Amino acid sequence: MNLAFIRYFLAVAETASFTAAAERCRVTQPTLSAGIARLEGEIGARLFDRARRAELTEAGHRLLPHARTMVEAWQLARTESRSTQRARLLRLAIASTLPIPATLSWVASAQQRAGFDIEISEGTADAVADRWRRGRCDAALFPVRRPIDQDELVALWREPYVLAAATGHRVATRDRWSVKELAATPFVLRAACEAQDDLERLFAAEGVRPRTVLSSADEERCGAAVAAGLGVCLMPRSLLRPGLVAAEIRDVALERRVVLAWRADADGDLVQTLRETALAHPWPGRRAGDARLAFAR
């Protein structure tokens, strides 16, 4: 059980608000919601009644005293440990367009194996890549559209961008669509999408300008809008969720590769742990052979 998820649970229980809890924990609301969902999956019960201002359910009330005990015990153990030896700190930057639950479970797996403290920052793919290049983080996980000539980097998986639609949407009835056939189809735009400029150029070249029903950098909100049937959305395969189906835009092949990069002077043991756990992790967008990806230099 990840202690971060317990902290998320306590923050929501004490504030009765997912938004306020996310601010207290210094994470995005989708990150906090994903953590709560993982915790509920491990507990096997709903912890909050979201229809009533995030009130605790009966299971949530039962967990509350145990959660406080776990956090207090961890803080005591951490204080005692640090009195004799300072823990290693890993500053990790993660692109906001990656699948959050899978990313968090990878981080937790690596942390459990190597026993380090961690500070996570989020941003667009470009912002995270820039943070890594400037040496402002120890490691970074982000997608790229073009090869990077760098030794301190490993490619984890390659995936296409697909046209996502709700199962009951018109677009879900076929596997492939032309740009002109999508002219009257409302779109949900992922504002942080690395392929957004390519999509806009593609539509402009065909003289097509579909209506936008939502433009947001919040991946959770965009996915929810598509699942509700408000519109379709271009998204990487790994962001598909239950209730969504994928189709192709005819004659278009957009893809990205997700890479793990690190500073040249980063802790070698930590880098090895990050590499090994990332390559072995069951990422939702990965297919057979992706673990052997390599960029041509």
Side-chain angles (χ1 to χ4, degrees), residues 132 148-154 260-264 271 275 297:
W132 162 61
I148 297 178
D149 185 13
Q150 192 81 22
D151 291 332
E152 293 78 25
L153 177 148
V154 62
L260 172 66
W262 55 89
R263 281 181 19 181
V271 167
R275 279 175 52 97
R297 290 191 170 90

Side-chain angles (χ1 to χ4, degrees), residues 9-10 13 39-40 43 45-49 55-67:
F9 165 76
L10 289 175
L39 183 60
E40 289 176 330
I43 294 295
R46 300 284 286 182
L47 299 175
F48 296 99
D49 183 350
E55 291 183 359
L56 286 168
T57 62
E58 182 178 349
H61 280 293
R62 290 197 300 268
L63 176 62
L64 187 59
H66 300 295

Side-chain angles (χ1 to χ4, degrees), residues 187-203:
F187 265 73
V188 173
L189 297 184
R190 300 170 46 251
C193 178
E194 305 85 25
Q196 184 60 39
D197 290 343
D198 288 341
L199 180 66
E200 292 178 357
R201 282 192 291 268
L202 171 67
F203 276 55

Side-chain angles (χ1 to χ4, degrees), residues 88-119:
R88 293 176 295 179
L89 174 66
L90 175 74
R91 297 174 301 160
L92 178 65
I94 299 175
S96 60
T97 57
L98 295 178
I100 295 299
T103 301
L104 291 179
S105 65
W106 161 65
V107 171
S109 175
Q111 188 179 41
Q112 196 171 44
R113 174 173 163 180
F116 54 83
D117 285 341
I118 191 166
E119 289 181 357

Side-chain angles (χ1 to χ4, degrees), residues 17-34:
S17 167
F18 277 65
T19 300
E23 293 176 354
R24 174 186 290 189
C25 295
R26 297 183 179 179
V27 297
T28 64
Q29 188 168 334
T31 296
L32 182 135
S33 297

